[in-house]
Amino acid sequence: MTSVGPVRSPAGRFLQVRASFVGEGAVLRALSIYYLPQNQRPVLTEVGLKARTTKRAPDVDPTAPPAASPNLGLTWKVENVDGDRLRYRLRFREETQAVWREILRDSELLSATEYSWNTTSVPDGWYVVEVEATDELSNPDAYVLRSRVASEPILVDNTPPEVVDLSASGVRVTGRARDGMGPISRIEIAIDGGEFRPIFPEDDLLDTREERFAIDTTTLSGLL
């Protein structure tokens, strides 16, 4: 190069400079080179649900079932080699559909790697959540990089289960526990306002959205 200007050599990991002197008295007093590091794409991994922790107030019956909530805690991991400020956008779609819908408004700026998704307006069913990470907060538009990753199907089930066909004949109690999505995960019984105890369905497996149960109350030691 004979004048100030950008380096035209191909991109690489190292830069070598060679100076040619045309006279014995020539001296190289200073050399300045400015470079722009190559932007690295953020890499998303492990989109899923946060483990739920149930905290009860001191005055709440510890035997009572946990309060239902339509909020699902979403979480994800990201590898951010550059240490750029990242922004996340969230979308969802019903498992069998292809159309993505935004969870966040464009005016909402999410920079945490977790989000509480209120599913009140979402019909019960299986959904896939997509997270997009961008480094737009640290780079001009021409250099912004993005990455996306989708979750495994997530169950949204805001319709409570119910007990139907409940009847008692002597010491025998029968009925059905059912739920719109299922599976039923727990059936409990209490007598005269006492402590709730778990019981098994007729087939001894809690694996479907409807479970039949038949209980001989004389066998429930500690409840009578």
Side-chain angles (χ1 to χ4, degrees):
M1 295 179 60
T2 58
S3 61
V4 176
V7 176
R8 301 298 183 184
S9 58
R13 294 182 61 190
F14 304 101
L15 177 66
Q16 292 179 306
V17 177
R18 181 173 62 186
S20 299
F21 300 95
V22 296
E24 294 183 358
V27 177
L28 177 64
R29 298 187 181 278
L31 174 67
S32 296
I33 298 176
Y34 299 90
Y35 69 95
L36 176 66
Q38 183 176 359
N39 191 21
Q40 301 293 309
R41 188 183 307 277
V43 179
L44 285 163
T45 59
E46 299 184 33
V47 177
L49 294 177
K50 292 180 62 177
R52 287 190 174 183
T53 56
T54 304
K55 295 183 178 180
R56 300 178 185 269
D59 57 342
V60 174
D61 181 1
T63 65
S69 172
N71 296 322
L72 294 180
L74 304 174
T75 184
W76 53 92
K77 293 183 179 181
V78 63
E79 296 178 11
N80 183 17
V81 177
D82 293 340
D84 288 339
R85 293 177 61 205
L86 299 182
R87 177 180 184 177
Y88 302 101
R89 292 180 171 87
L90 306 178
R91 306 175 182 91
F92 74 97
R93 63 173 174 82
E94 201 275 329
E95 184 184 15
T96 61
Q97 297 179 351
V99 178
W100 292 97
R101 294 177 172 81
E102 302 291 337
I103 293 178
L104 301 173
R105 294 186 296 270
D106 195 57
S107 59
E108 294 182 81
L109 181 60
L110 178 62
S111 57
T113 56
E114 59 182 41
Y115 182 77
S116 181
W117 180 27
N118 188 321
T119 61
T120 302
S121 61
V122 178
D124 290 353
W126 290 92
Y127 292 86
V128 177
V129 173
E130 180 185 71
V131 179
E132 178 188 275
T134 80
D135 54 13
E136 62 191 66
L137 301 179
S138 296
N139 295 280
D141 289 347
Y143 294 93
V144 170
L145 294 175
R146 295 174 167 82
S147 66
R148 296 180 180 181
V149 68
S151 70
E152 294 294 324
I154 294 172
L155 176 63
V156 173
D157 184 3
N158 292 323
T159 303
E162 59 180 351
V163 176
V164 297
D165 300 336
L166 184 64
S167 64
S169 177
V171 296
R172 184 177 174 81
V173 177
T174 60
R176 292 182 295 131
R178 68 183 184 188
D179 183 68
M181 296 297 299
I184 298 294
S185 62
R186 191 176 180 90
I187 304 174
E188 297 180 321
I189 186 172
I191 296 179
D192 293 333
E195 181 181 354
F196 276 93
R197 296 287 184 85
I199 61 172
F200 283 134
E202 289 183 333
D203 62 359
D204 291 334
L205 289 176
L206 291 164
D207 59 349
T208 63
R209 65 182 185 179
E210 182 172 312
E211 299 286 357
R212 294 181 177 273
F213 56 88
I215 311 154
D216 181 351
T217 56
T218 62
T219 64
L220 302 176
S221 60
L223 293 183
L224 298 175

